[in-house]
Amino acid sequence: MNKECSHLMQREQHIEGVWLSCKAELKHILSEDIFERWIEVIEPIEITDGYLKLAVANGFYKDWLEENYLPLINQALITIGELSLKAELCVHEVSLQKEEAIHVPPSEPKPTKRTLLHGAKSKHNLNPAYTFDNFIIGPNNEFAHAAAAAAAKALSRTYNPLFIYGGVGLGKTHLMQAIGHAVLEKRGKTRVCYITCESFTNEYIDALQNNNVSAFRKKYRKIDLLLIDDIHFLDGKKRLQEEFFHTFNALFESHKQIVLTSDRTPSEMEGLAPRLVSRFEWGLVTELNRPDIETRTAILRKKAESMKLSLDLELLDYLALKISSNVRSLEGALIRIATFASLTKQKITQERLQELLRDLIKKEETQVIDIDLIQRTVADHFSISLSDLIGKKRSKHIVIPRQIAMHLSRTLTNQSYPAIAEKFARNHATILYAHEQIEHKSTEDNHLHDTLIKLTDQLSHS
């Protein structure tokens, strides 16, 4: 064996050794289920420039791990003495091949529910954690959950398309992918495809560049269940809308199920072609709202149980009270607490919890009211559509509410003028003018002054 081959082998052994030691540390910290689901599937690739490159099978594993477990992996590296290394995640074929090797051969017995989900994730791009069993039902999502469950039981015969909308981190992706898992569990041969609208767009652009649009169309028009996340990404993209219009028609006419998610209703997408708005509203449009405190508490209790985290119920109640914006923030907070408890073996008190989550709690207190909420609240108050509020119409009954929404966005959030301008599709000078106009008029117009107080109070308690 020459020196180069020997050096390469030693390098690979070192990489593998580092990761095995890191995994051993993580195994002591995490529950068996979480470790197998999220850590065992990671493949070490290389160590370069102070980074341990770790590969996973798809973008959803990468995003979830980066958001929830990357700090824990980096802490484990420190614990095992690799102080100069930081973990970096990527999507890589090596990990994909590893995932595919886990699939159960046809000759083996019928797979269990868990094996079925595990084997389907790389093929269908579904996150194995996003199932109906793991979805906490509350007043904020009860109707959307029922609609999703009905769609899963009878594809294309109940709500087609099913259009789920709501803010960030409220469970749209979870609910959508739960449909895919339920269908695969019941009918494993169903052709399910989950994709974000951005990825769909990139695939279409690649197909155009490589003169392969026919293959692109064939791929998506033979799907039995098409799940597209963040369909609002189509807004303003005319050529892509044209392509998706024909794909939608082909699937619908073939009695295939379509499920879409968005941060707004179809009619509120100003840059969406009217014929697409019409088609998106053919089936059922349902909303996910911010969870109430009881639902947030239930989410935290179930998550803590799955993580085998022993935490006083009073602390979970406190956490549910302090973090109210979305489910994702709740889960992130709990993971941070679990990591600290596992690494330090210290008891979690309310004072310790406040210290650990100081930045999250401060963010919640200052950013619970966001611009989207202000726009919706103002539009509802004045009985105008959201698309009119942020659109180009100049009639007085729309301009005044629009300026009020701009003013409240400046006074009730910490967003800059350019950031607010982007949400209203205007320039920052327009926002500044609206803010100053409403501020000045409210000192002379008692009715406007009272309206601002009423809207502010409503937003503060929403």
Side-chain angles (χ1 to χ4, degrees):
M1 183 183 296
N2 59 41
K3 288 184 179 180
E4 186 176 345
C5 290
S6 177
H7 178 72
L8 182 60
M9 183 175 292
Q10 289 175 357
R11 181 183 176 90
E12 289 177 352
Q13 288 173 345
H14 174 61
I15 296 167
E16 189 68 29
V18 168
W19 179 236
L20 284 173
S21 298
C22 191
K23 280 170 59 177
E25 182 65 29
L26 293 168
K27 197 165 189 176
H28 289 303
I29 296 170
L30 301 170
S31 69
E32 181 181 354
D33 180 63
I34 290 176
F35 180 83
E36 290 182 3
R37 179 176 289 171
W38 297 108
I39 305 301
E40 196 65 74
V41 298
I42 299 173
E43 187 80 9
I45 299 298
E46 63 177 344
I47 294 177
T48 180
D49 297 326
Y51 286 93
L52 171 63
K53 292 195 70 174
L54 302 171
V56 289
N58 57 57
F60 296 97
Y61 266 77
K62 179 177 178 291
D63 292 344
W64 184 264
L65 284 164
E66 284 179 340
E67 188 169 341
N68 295 286
Y69 294 105
L70 188 58
L72 189 58
I73 294 172
N74 282 323
Q75 184 60 52
L77 285 171
I78 294 172
T79 303
I80 66 172
E82 297 291 344
L83 304 181
S84 62
L85 281 183
K86 284 191 175 182
E88 182 181 68
L89 291 155
C90 64
V91 177
H92 198 279
E93 289 181 359
V94 172
S95 185
L96 182 60
Q97 289 165 3
K98 181 179 179 181
E99 289 301 311
E100 289 171 345
I102 297 174
H103 292 186
V104 179
S107 59
E108 289 198 19
K110 184 178 179 180
T112 63
K113 176 180 178 181
R114 177 170 173 173
T115 306
L116 183 66
L117 296 181
H118 190 73
K121 67 192 172 191
S122 62
K123 183 177 180 181
H124 305 291
N125 223 9
L126 298 176
N127 185 322
Y130 289 164
T131 65
F132 283 124
D133 288 343
N134 292 333
F135 191 85
I136 300 296
I137 304 169
N140 63 303
N141 58 32
E142 188 174 14
F143 182 67
H145 174 271
K153 288 178 181 177
L155 291 183
S156 78
R157 297 200 302 274
T158 49
Y159 310 117
N160 198 22
L162 176 60
F163 191 103
I164 305 169
Y165 73 96
V168 174
L170 297 181
K172 300 187 299 295
T173 301
H174 187 149
L175 202 52
M176 166 186 272
Q177 292 199 27
I179 298 172
H181 282 307
V183 169
L184 287 172
E185 184 176 8
K186 186 177 179 181
R187 298 185 294 275
K189 292 184 179 179
T190 305
R191 291 168 295 189
V192 176
C193 177
Y194 168 82
I195 191 170
T196 65
C197 191
E198 184 176 6
S199 295
F200 182 85
T201 301
N202 291 334
E203 278 195 38
Y204 178 60
I205 292 170
D206 288 342
L208 286 173
Q209 290 176 339
N210 297 311
N211 296 316
N212 205 18
V213 174
S214 59
F216 173 87
R217 291 170 179 165
K218 184 178 180 181
K219 173 183 175 180
Y220 286 102
R221 296 180 192 184
K222 287 193 173 183
I223 298 296
D224 298 312
L225 171 58
L226 179 60
L227 310 163
I228 298 192
D229 221 346
D230 296 331
I231 198 66
H232 53 263
F233 196 77
L234 282 180
D235 206 347
K237 299 176 176 65
K238 293 183 179 179
R239 189 165 181 182
L240 184 62
Q241 288 183 30
E242 178 74 21
E243 183 63 37
F244 187 70
F245 173 78
H246 295 296
T247 297
F248 182 101
N249 284 346
L251 292 173
F252 188 87
E253 290 167 5
S254 300
H255 305 288
K256 308 301 184 183
Q257 180 70 49
I258 304 162
V259 183
L260 309 169
T261 71
S262 173
D263 64 357
R264 69 203 82 155
T265 66
S267 60
E268 289 168 352
M269 286 187 261
E270 189 176 325
L272 195 65
R275 59 181 182 174
L276 272 178
V277 172
S278 173
R279 278 159 177 76
F280 289 174
E281 293 175 340
W282 273 353
L284 177 70
V285 177
T286 181
E287 182 179 13
L288 287 177
N289 293 303
R290 201 184 307 182
D292 59 20
I293 189 165
E294 291 81 8
T295 305
R296 297 197 300 272
T297 302
I299 290 169
L300 286 170
R301 289 184 181 184
K302 184 162 187 175
K303 184 73 175 175
E305 182 181 350
S306 72
M307 297 171 67
K308 297 182 179 178
L309 174 64
S310 178
L311 205 62
D312 292 342
L313 295 181
E314 292 79 8
L315 292 181
L316 291 177
D317 293 342
Y318 175 80
L319 191 56
L321 178 66
K322 286 296 183 179
I323 299 182
S324 61
S325 59
N326 60 61
V327 176
R328 193 174 300 164
S329 295
L330 284 173
E331 292 179 338
L334 204 57
I335 287 169
R336 187 182 297 187
I337 294 168
T339 303
F340 177 84
S342 298
L343 293 174
T344 67
K345 310 302 180 187
Q346 295 182 24
K347 180 177 175 60
I348 301 297
T349 62
Q350 184 167 318
E351 291 74 21
R352 177 66 69 185
L353 186 148
Q354 289 173 330
E355 182 183 339
L356 283 172
L357 305 177
R358 182 170 58 246
D359 59 325
L360 289 178
I361 292 173
K362 184 178 179 181
K363 182 179 179 182
E364 287 283 328
E365 291 173 346
T366 58
Q367 292 189 354
V368 166
I369 301 174
D370 60 24
I371 297 173
D372 290 333
L373 178 62
I374 291 171
Q375 290 175 336
R376 289 183 187 279
T377 303
V378 172
D380 288 344
H381 179 83
F382 288 97
S383 299
I384 62 177
S385 69
L386 185 57
S387 57
D388 280 345
L389 182 77
I390 61 179
K392 304 298 183 184
K393 291 182 180 178
R394 298 291 304 165
S395 53
K396 186 175 180 180
H397 81 283
I398 291 175
V399 169
I400 297 300
R402 183 184 295 147
Q403 289 184 335
I404 289 173
M406 292 174 177
H407 168 74
L408 291 174
S409 295
R410 179 58 183 170
T411 57
L412 299 181
T413 76
N414 63 356
Q415 297 297 308
S416 65
Y417 283 116
I420 298 170
E422 184 176 350
K423 297 292 288 186
F424 284 88
R426 300 296 198 281
N427 59 51
H428 75 279
T430 302
I431 307 300
L432 175 62
Y433 174 79
H435 171 58
E436 292 177 344
Q437 280 287 100
I438 296 300
E439 195 167 50
H440 173 70
K441 288 180 180 178
S442 65
T443 61
E444 302 174 347
D445 185 335
N446 289 334
H447 178 68
L448 175 60
H449 178 73
D450 291 343
T451 299
L452 292 175
I453 292 175
K454 184 176 180 179
L455 285 169
T456 300
D457 183 65
Q458 185 178 344
L459 286 162
S460 299
H461 295 87
S462 58

